[in-house]
Amino acid sequence: MADKPDIQEILNETDESKKKKKYNAYVKEMTPTHCWWLNMIKAFLIGGIICTLGQAFNNWFKGMGMKEETAALYGILCLIFLSVVLTGLQLYQRLAKFGGAGTVVPITGFANSVAAPAIEFKKEGQVFGIGCKIFTIAGPVILYGIFSSWVLGVIYWVLKWF
């Protein structure tokens, strides 16, 4: 048996115990290894930078004389805009590859998940490309978010009667 088992060699093996050993060796060889601590530090760093940028936008807009709520809305819009622009320039994917879960800061990650399929499928046209594919990732989030809020509303309404 070679050090790196071939998938065809595994499939051709008739002895089940040898097949299982070869398969486990194959899986171990093919599974990428990651440094969890380094990934957590990168995610914390990128997520922190995104949140700090959002706070900087809020402070900037408040400094321009806006109320807290208005400044926060404009800050969110700026983060969404930057996320979509970076997605269009294919820089958000690089950032996500480096920062991992840190780029899933809710507003920027959601904007990326809406913009990426739209950009990818624009060559298929406005209706069948962008229109059909724009919510392929974000659609289930919207659907289950609305549905779960409805279920919780019904539960709250029922519990009000007791």
Side-chain angles (χ1 to χ4, degrees):
M1 183 171 99
D3 289 330
K4 291 184 181 179
D6 184 283
I7 192 70
Q8 195 61 40
E9 180 184 337
I10 296 168
L11 293 173
N12 291 338
E13 184 63 55
T14 55
D15 184 13
E16 283 299 316
S17 64
K18 286 183 181 179
K19 189 175 198 175
K20 190 178 267 189
K21 284 182 183 178
K22 287 180 181 181
Y23 177 74
N24 288 338
Y26 178 77
V27 168
K28 188 174 182 178
E29 178 69 31
M30 298 305 289
T31 303
T33 57
H34 301 285
C35 176
W36 286 45
W37 288 106
L38 183 61
N39 287 347
M40 285 191 295
I41 290 169
K42 288 179 181 178
F44 182 78
L45 177 71
I46 296 300
I49 289 171
I50 292 170
C51 292
T52 303
L53 184 61
Q55 187 62 48
F57 280 131
N58 286 350
N59 294 346
W60 183 46
F61 289 122
K62 282 194 295 188
M64 293 172 61
M66 294 183 184
K67 293 181 181 178
E68 178 77 32
E69 296 83 19
T70 307
L73 291 174
Y74 277 100
I76 290 169
L77 287 174
C78 288
L79 286 177
I80 291 170
F81 176 75
L82 282 176
S83 176
V84 171
V85 168
L86 290 175
T87 300
L89 296 173
Q90 296 185 355
L91 296 174
Y92 199 89
Q93 290 81 348
R94 290 182 188 171
L95 187 66
K97 188 172 184 173
F98 175 79
T103 57
V104 189
V105 174
I107 199 70
T108 57
F110 190 74
N112 175 60
S113 72
V114 171
I119 292 167
E120 183 179 349
F121 291 98
K122 71 180 178 184
K123 63 184 168 279
E124 294 180 23
Q126 293 291 317
V127 175
F128 293 113
I130 296 172
C132 291
K133 299 293 185 177
I134 195 164
F135 289 114
T136 54
I137 295 173
V141 173
I142 294 168
L143 170 72
Y144 290 115
I146 291 171
F147 179 72
S148 62
S149 66
W150 178 81
V151 168
L152 291 173
V154 169
I155 291 170
Y156 176 75
W157 181 74
V158 169
L159 291 177
K160 262 181 42 176
W161 294 101
F162 295 106

